[in-house]
Amino acid sequence: MDLLLNFDLEKKHTTFIPMQNLEQQIDVNKMAKENLQLKNVIAIYNKLNEMLVQKQNLIEILKECNQMVGREIALFDLEGELSYSSCQSVLLENFILEYKKKYTNWKFREQREINLDSGKILISPITVDQEVFQYCGFFYRKDEIITEEEKLILERISTICSIVLINKKAMFDANERMKAVLFEKLLIGEITDYKELLRELKLLNIYVQESY
């Protein structure tokens, strides 16, 4: 049996701990840590799902994500132009400048860790109609470690952002179709009553003042 030497300073004697027991304790500690991380990820997932129902604004969602995760987060397009950032610093400016120099001609369809001179970015694509539309990313210093937990969380954040944008696009497309239908009705003379026209316009969130 493999043994580990252990010296008790208080009792001033040496004992031997079986290596098997030590390995089991390490496994237990590892499982406890992984369970805690999993609970944290699930809690953030649930919060993100709530935000998807309650909010349809990407900036508000990302602000809350920054508070939940405690990691600097940014939203930027394929050319590296910022739409939102939780921090405004020289470090962020350096990140973006380096990204623009090296990666503006790239399109990342999967989560990617990008190493730059000034640090690291973990980015996840935001897709609309199966096309990469934007990226959201966590920012790290050179000496910081990107955890599996943060990878899972960022992937979920990018999915939520995709759903929000898809919903907005669907609403916009439906609104445009309704406008086309209303225009056609006007052309063929199906709508002749002014009040009926106002009702139709109101459905499109177009409010015409009586003075017009």
Side-chain angles (χ1 to χ4, degrees):
M1 178 186 295
D2 293 332
L3 299 175
L4 179 69
L5 187 66
N6 180 53
F7 185 74
D8 192 320
L9 292 175
E10 293 182 359
K11 297 181 180 180
K12 296 182 179 180
H13 71 270
T14 302
T15 58
F16 293 92
I17 302 174
M19 287 294 293
Q20 185 179 1
N21 292 353
L22 181 63
E23 290 169 357
Q24 288 175 349
Q25 184 61 44
I26 291 172
D27 288 340
V28 169
N29 292 341
K30 184 180 178 182
M31 288 178 61
K33 183 179 179 181
E34 288 175 351
N35 285 337
L36 183 62
Q37 290 173 339
L38 182 59
K39 286 180 180 179
N40 186 40
V41 170
I42 291 172
I44 291 175
Y45 270 33
N46 291 336
K47 184 64 178 176
L48 286 169
N49 291 337
E50 289 176 15
M51 284 193 283
L52 182 60
V53 175
Q54 297 170 0
K55 302 178 186 291
Q56 286 295 310
N57 184 296
L58 286 186
I59 305 303
E60 290 182 12
I61 290 173
L62 291 174
K63 282 181 179 178
E64 289 205 26
C65 289
N66 169 244
Q67 294 173 356
M68 283 192 300
V69 182
R71 173 67 61 188
E72 300 299 348
I73 187 170
L75 181 71
F76 54 96
D77 63 22
L78 278 61
E79 285 73 40
E81 295 295 334
L82 278 174
S83 301
Y84 166 77
S85 171
S86 63
C87 66
Q88 297 295 331
S89 64
V90 175
L91 180 62
L92 175 63
E93 291 175 6
N94 290 338
F95 270 126
I96 296 303
L97 286 173
E98 285 185 62
Y99 177 89
K100 286 181 178 180
K101 288 178 181 177
K102 297 179 181 179
Y103 295 105
T104 50
N105 294 323
W106 292 53
K107 185 179 286 188
F108 301 108
R109 294 189 173 275
E110 296 179 352
Q111 191 175 82
R112 180 75 175 265
E113 178 183 333
I114 298 176
N115 290 298
L116 301 171
D117 295 337
S118 55
K120 294 177 286 190
I121 311 176
L122 178 66
I123 64 171
S124 281
I126 298 171
T127 57
V128 177
D129 292 339
Q130 298 183 338
E131 286 295 323
V132 178
F133 183 71
Q134 286 179 308
Y135 299 115
C136 58
F138 286 156
F139 291 84
Y140 300 80
R141 295 189 303 274
K142 278 278 188 184
D143 58 341
E144 289 185 302
I145 297 173
I146 299 175
T147 66
E148 291 300 318
E149 180 183 0
E150 288 173 331
K151 289 180 180 179
L152 290 171
I153 292 169
L154 184 63
E155 187 174 1
R156 184 58 180 170
I157 291 172
S158 67
T159 300
I160 295 293
C161 290
S162 294
I163 293 171
V164 170
L165 290 175
I166 289 169
N167 287 343
K168 286 183 178 295
K169 184 178 183 299
M171 291 172 63
F172 176 80
D173 291 344
N175 195 266
E176 291 301 300
R177 286 194 295 271
M178 290 176 66
K179 286 180 183 178
V181 170
L182 176 58
F183 184 65
E184 184 179 349
K185 287 180 179 180
L186 289 171
L187 285 177
I188 64 177
E190 188 173 328
I191 296 178
T192 56
D193 182 69
Y194 181 68
K195 289 185 178 180
E196 184 182 353
L197 175 60
L198 290 179
R199 283 195 298 271
E200 293 281 349
L201 290 172
K202 188 176 181 180
L203 291 174
L204 296 170
N205 293 319
I206 300 173
Y207 298 92
V208 179
Q209 300 296 327
E210 292 295 335
S211 57
Y212 286 93

